[in-house]
Amino acid sequence: MMRKIAVYGKGGIGKSTLTSNLAAALATLGKKVIQIGCDPKADSTINLLGGRPLQSVMGYMREFDAEPSSLEEISARGFGGVLCIETGGPTPGLGCAGRGIIATFNLLEDLELFEREQPDVVLYDVLGDVVCGGFAAPIREGYAEDVLIVTSGEKMALYAANNIATAVENFADRGYAKVRGVLLNRRNVPREEEKVRAFAEAHQLPVLADIPRSDAISEAEERGMTVVEAAPEDPVSQAFFALAREIVQEKAEG
């Protein structure tokens, strides 16, 4: 059974780092993974691809004034065989990035991405704390079943996390995605764990991962790699493997 997970959180909180390291950890555990970056910056998958940017779906459509006719034109295989796709966005100031996500999802359906790939896990890395329009598509349109919220103990990160949790709860009676848990991405602010656990408890959510602040992550990213690839024995990599095993276990039990 395919597991479809959307990762949300405040802009700049480290969603792409966490998502790509989770993808790398799942792939190392032998899972077939697709990662779809849902952000106009189109940089979600860059550290799975050796630091090489990927042609985004919206970028392809702008450049060729046509829809791609094959998955190969808008995807690339990264570390561990992870299939990487970026939605991209419109030319800045012209058009709606959320609409780009919807257009990409419709295109991937037409290209029969999931039927062809038969992945174990699909990860959507979604822009910032925006849960309206196209950015809510992973939650609302049935693409994702589970939401993971990334936060630190910083005030604005928790504010965004609360907005996301509330938005997803508002969809609950429609059979849409559910928040499965919180990922604590530490920024080493005072009483960080206490604040994040209080937020999680207020929404009756588990804290599924506690990712330490680590120079190993930035050192790996300087080399265009995830820390899971560059330093699999590092404690921060072990935290990602623990999260990956939790997700695999949940899937097996589900």
Side-chain angles (χ1 to χ4, degrees):
M1 192 180 87
M2 180 169 52
R3 189 85 188 270
K4 297 178 287 185
I5 300 169
V7 182
Y8 282 83
K10 175 184 172 292
I13 197 59
K15 288 181 305 300
S16 295
T17 293
L18 266 67
T19 306
S20 55
N21 275 286
L22 175 56
L26 286 162
T28 303
L29 295 176
K31 299 301 168 186
K32 196 169 185 184
V33 184
I34 298 174
Q35 181 168 324
I36 301 176
C38 303
D39 187 321
K41 296 196 305 298
D43 59 358
S44 171
T45 59
I46 195 164
N47 293 314
L48 291 165
L49 294 167
R52 296 184 306 277
L54 178 63
Q55 167 77 291
S56 73
V57 175
M58 297 302 288
Y60 180 100
M61 289 162 82
R62 265 201 311 279
E63 185 174 340
F64 298 102
D65 199 25
E67 289 190 350
S69 57
S70 72
L71 284 170
E72 286 71 24
E73 292 169 298
I74 48 154
S75 66
R77 296 255 174 223
F79 172 75
V82 177
L83 186 70
C84 301
I85 296 169
E86 298 278 0
T87 67
T91 303
L94 300 173
C96 167
R99 198 171 293 158
I101 292 174
I102 293 170
T104 297
F105 285 6
N106 290 339
L107 174 67
L108 294 177
E109 277 187 12
D110 291 344
L111 295 174
E112 299 184 328
L113 169 67
F114 299 141
E115 292 85 348
R116 187 181 125 172
E117 286 295 311
Q118 299 282 308
D120 298 303
V121 184
V122 182
L123 297 171
Y124 299 94
D125 174 15
V126 190
L127 168 72
D129 50 356
V130 183
V131 280
C132 64
F135 298 108
I139 303 171
R140 201 184 55 222
E141 307 295 337
Y143 292 103
E145 295 152 347
D146 301 331
V147 172
L148 301 177
I149 299 177
V150 182
T151 189
S152 66
E154 296 163 302
K155 184 177 179 181
M156 292 311 294
L158 285 165
Y159 178 79
N162 189 65
N163 282 348
I164 294 159
T166 302
V168 180
E169 286 160 10
N170 288 341
F171 289 135
D173 60 343
R174 305 187 207 176
Y176 293 155
K178 292 183 172 63
V179 181
R180 293 299 179 193
V182 176
L183 310 182
L184 166 53
N185 194 27
R186 286 185 181 262
R187 294 293 174 89
N188 296 347
V189 300
R191 297 175 33 243
E192 185 157 40
E193 185 174 352
E194 178 189 332
K195 291 173 184 172
V196 171
R197 290 198 180 278
F199 156 72
E201 285 167 17
H203 288 274
Q204 299 179 299
L205 297 171
V207 177
L208 293 176
D210 185 341
I211 308 298
R213 197 165 176 84
S214 171
D215 290 340
I217 293 176
S218 48
E219 287 163 8
E221 292 184 348
E222 287 280 320
R223 297 161 59 195
M225 301 163 85
T226 61
V227 71
V228 164
E229 178 185 2
E233 300 306 320
D234 191 274
V236 73
S237 296
Q238 292 303 307
F240 287 116
F241 281 118
L243 175 60
R245 280 191 288 269
E246 173 111 10
I247 285 169
V248 169
Q249 184 66 28
E250 260 189 34
K251 181 184 167 191
E253 289 171 357

